[in-house]
């Protein structure tokens, strides 16, 4: 069993946005993602008794507490039912169990405290961020040796355990920060200049939503990906060329970022948005945010991440290159009931700060 | 000079909708258009004095009167300034002049009265309908021999004279009715079953709009087509595959109509809409109509015809396959400030009714 080397650990990680190529990337085309300066922190500290006590706060729209205790030699999970909160906690629970299994850690238990600026179910990688930060903090706290690469692999394994499937993009961004290019399912880090973007989020899950619906939402990405797969099969002759288009679009977008050509970059965002609409992942409320941004003079706007469907409340996020129109776009988004955040791309990845 | 054979002629023609493939068709891919049961009628009757007197009424949003007189051997055009009305009248004037030149007709002049149910600048082919019905009525009134084919060619020539360029689709639909497939720039008539659709129109041109803006709007289609051409050149590697997608989409849509597969037809409309958004012809207000229709349960929805831009007020039309949700969609469209019309596709073309 590894020994406890520090009294307290804070692991902080960034959220991610997919700039270009989401959904299509599932079939091997290029996609570009970036870290944004919107972070999640996991603190791990000692505890009087055995078992794990998890406290999550400042997560947009809700907080929760979880007690993961060893009872009669087994494990028990008790938490207040904050409906959709079960979703966030599933990653923490899976991370603890994964580390227990892999490294035999933790009979002595720990206090885990999560604070986050990342909206949930918004396509900004809050699940991956939770996995990376929890794994990193627990590994550091219990003195499990290993590099960033190992942390990313563990976190990706945990995300897959909970979701059934997970893209390595999100955990790579939360671990390394910066930019990541996915090409033929390989994840590569890229050095690119910073961008000033706006993220508009519809959601998170309303507190009033019942738990059945919340469970459905926890499967949102899976449902959306499955929907695209189904349509791809039904309309193969139509969908196939779109993959070539998006692959080339991502490549052209990288050049536009390198060259600082904002007008071109924005136009590419608009094209990518239309293609996401064509494959069926743009619900009314997200469309509204994109269209009002374009009308108000944004250089470009698109859905980012998994997108959404109308019957799941249109929850999800859009990405805007606002140019000179930032203030007006933000106001319009807020009127439309969205959370609007100014963000910078390409920032720092995982930061671990021990306290002795 | 041809002789007057009847006292009064009424020529009535249908509006058209492009079901699939608009814009892309400019580059040789397949497009499908249909007549809808929304018509324009031109009546021609005798006049006491020489010259032409044109009266246009029931055209959604405005009416106007024009006097085209022979003065001192030349021609003079006087009309009340209803701003944008100049646009509609331009086709009538060009049709008269074209027939004067081609067939030497009309020193004796005529009364021309136009009534229309077709919204203007809405992508429903009101210009082509005006050309076909005016040409047909004047030819019949003055006893100029010729078949439907000759009428369509004359009308297309007149539309080109006014606009600089014109697709033969609109005049073909107004002349022949039914369905028209355009394939490698060839226009072919198709026999397909009738569809129950809804058309939602934003516009027409507000009376308050100044004439500069109205002139811009009269060039709307040209501007939109030029915008697509520009983006196609700027982003060729991305746009090129989209043309293959739309070509295949139109072919699949024809099969879906033949097989009465409404679910598939609707899904194809949704895909086509996304691709129109990708090439930049979906402004906020038209997007809103499509998205609210999809959210309310339409089987499919898309922009139809030229589309629009935000800085031209988002004027244009959408086409909806409403399924069971017609009443709710209509209400939502009206709330959004659109004119919503239930239409049937594939109906009768040019009808000429003489009165003796």
């Amino acid at each position: 069993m590894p020994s406890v080397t520090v009294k307290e650990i804070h692991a902080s990680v960034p959220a991610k946005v997919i700039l270009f190529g989401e959904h299509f990337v599932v079939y091997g085309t290029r996609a570009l993602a970036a870290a944004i300066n919107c972070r999640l922190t996991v603190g791990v500290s000692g505890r009087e008794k055995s078992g794990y006590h998890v406290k999550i706060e400042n997560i947009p729209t809700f907080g929760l507490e979880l007690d993961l205790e060893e009872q009669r030699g087994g494990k028990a999970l008790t938490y207040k039912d904050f409906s959709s909160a079960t979703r966030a906690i599933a990653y923490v629970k899976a991370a603890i169990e994964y580390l227990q299994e892999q490294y035999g850690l933790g009979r002595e238990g720990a206090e885990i405290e999560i604070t986050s600026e990342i909206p949930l179910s918004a396509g900004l990688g809050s699940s991956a961020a939770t996995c990376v930060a929890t794994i990193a903090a627990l590994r550091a706290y219990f003195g499990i040796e290993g590099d960033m690469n190992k942390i990313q692999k563990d976190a990706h394994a945990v995300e897959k355990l909970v979701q059934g499937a997970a893209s390595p993009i999100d955990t790579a961004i939360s671990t390394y920060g910066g930019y990541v290019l996915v090409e033929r399912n390989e994840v590569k880090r890229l050095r690119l200049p910073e961008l000033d973007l706006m993220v508009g989020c519809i959601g998170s899950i309303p507190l009033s939503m019942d738990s059945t619906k919340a469970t459905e939402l926890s499967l949102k990405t899976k449902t959306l990906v499955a929907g695209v797969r189904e349509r791809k099969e039904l309309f193969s002759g139509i969908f196939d060329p779109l993959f070539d288009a998006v692959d080339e679009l991502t490549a052209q977008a990288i050049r536009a970022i390198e060259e600082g050509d904002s007008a071109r970059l924005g136009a590419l965002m608009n094209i990518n948005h239309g293609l996401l609409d064509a494959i069926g992942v743009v619900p009314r409320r997200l469309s509204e945010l994109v269209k009002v941004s374009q009308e108000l003079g944004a250089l470009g706007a698109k859905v980012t991440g998994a997108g959404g469907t109308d019957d799941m409340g249109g929850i999800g996020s859009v990405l805007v290159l606002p140019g000179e129109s930032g203030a007006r776009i933000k106001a319009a988004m807020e009127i439309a009931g969205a959370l609007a955040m100014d963000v910078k791309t390409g920032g720092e990845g995982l930061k671990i700060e021990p306290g002795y």
Side-chain angles (χ1 to χ4, degrees), chain A residues 56-295:
Chain A
I56 303 186
E57 55 187 343
N58 288 354
I59 287 188
T61 76
F62 68 83
L64 67 91
E65 282 192 29
L66 167 99
D67 249 303
L68 185 65
E69 287 175 287
E70 302 217 8
Q71 286 179 342
R72 294 185 299 277
K75 286 167 205 136
L77 182 69
T78 62
Y79 53 87
K80 288 197 189 171
D81 181 13
F82 285 79
S83 309
S84 58
T86 49
R87 229 157 27 80
I89 216 68
Y91 295 98
V92 179
K93 184 169 171 280
I96 294 168
E97 288 171 357
Y98 179 85
L99 291 177
Q100 284 176 326
E101 208 163 280
Q102 295 285 311
Y103 306 100
L105 70 74
R107 296 208 174 279
E108 67 278 24
E111 289 284 340
I112 299 175
E113 189 168 344
I114 307 183
T115 57
S116 177
E117 302 163 346
I118 312 175
L120 297 176
S121 295
L124 302 180
S126 65
S127 307
T130 306
C131 294
V132 172
T134 305
I135 289 283
L138 286 171
R139 286 181 66 112
Y141 182 77
F142 289 110
I144 303 169
E145 307 230 330
D147 56 7
M148 298 280 259
N149 190 35
K150 189 71 191 109
I151 290 169
Q152 194 241 318
K153 286 205 181 333
D154 280 357
H156 183 228
V158 169
E159 206 185 2
K160 268 207 291 205
L161 276 173
V162 177
Q163 295 175 182
S167 153
I169 304 172
D170 294 20
T171 41
I173 287 287
S174 272
T175 307
Y176 300 112
Y179 288 87
V180 154
L181 170 68
V182 189
E183 193 167 9
R184 289 185 211 89
N185 301 311
E186 297 267 307
V187 172
K188 294 178 204 172
R189 297 172 64 190
L190 285 192
R191 277 191 181 280
L192 292 170
E194 179 181 276
L195 298 171
D196 287 305
L197 298 176
M198 190 181 295
V199 173
C201 301
I202 293 287
S204 308
I205 302 164
L207 282 171
S208 61
M209 186 172 276
D210 70 32
S211 52
T212 315
K213 193 77 187 170
T215 306
E216 274 175 36
L217 275 168
S218 75
L219 302 171
K220 197 187 89 161
T221 300
K222 208 193 267 187
T223 307
L224 285 161
V225 169
V228 171
R229 184 177 299 278
E230 195 186 318
R231 286 186 288 279
K232 185 178 184 301
E233 280 160 17
L234 278 170
F235 303 106
S236 60
I238 302 164
F239 271 44
D240 293 348
L242 306 187
F243 288 80
D244 298 333
V246 170
D247 191 54
E248 172 64 18
L249 191 151
T250 302
Q252 292 195 16
I254 292 168
R255 284 201 292 279
I257 297 173
E258 283 169 342
E259 291 162 9
D261 188 342
S262 300
R264 190 170 175 89
L265 184 65
L268 289 165
M269 290 172 70
N270 292 338
I271 298 170
N272 197 163
H273 176 73
L275 297 175
L276 287 167
D277 194 11
I279 63 169
V281 297
V282 177
R284 181 182 63 81
R285 294 181 72 196
L286 294 182
S287 168
E288 197 177 35
L289 300 186
V290 166
K291 288 296 166 185
V292 81
S293 301
Q294 290 170 344
E295 188 180 45

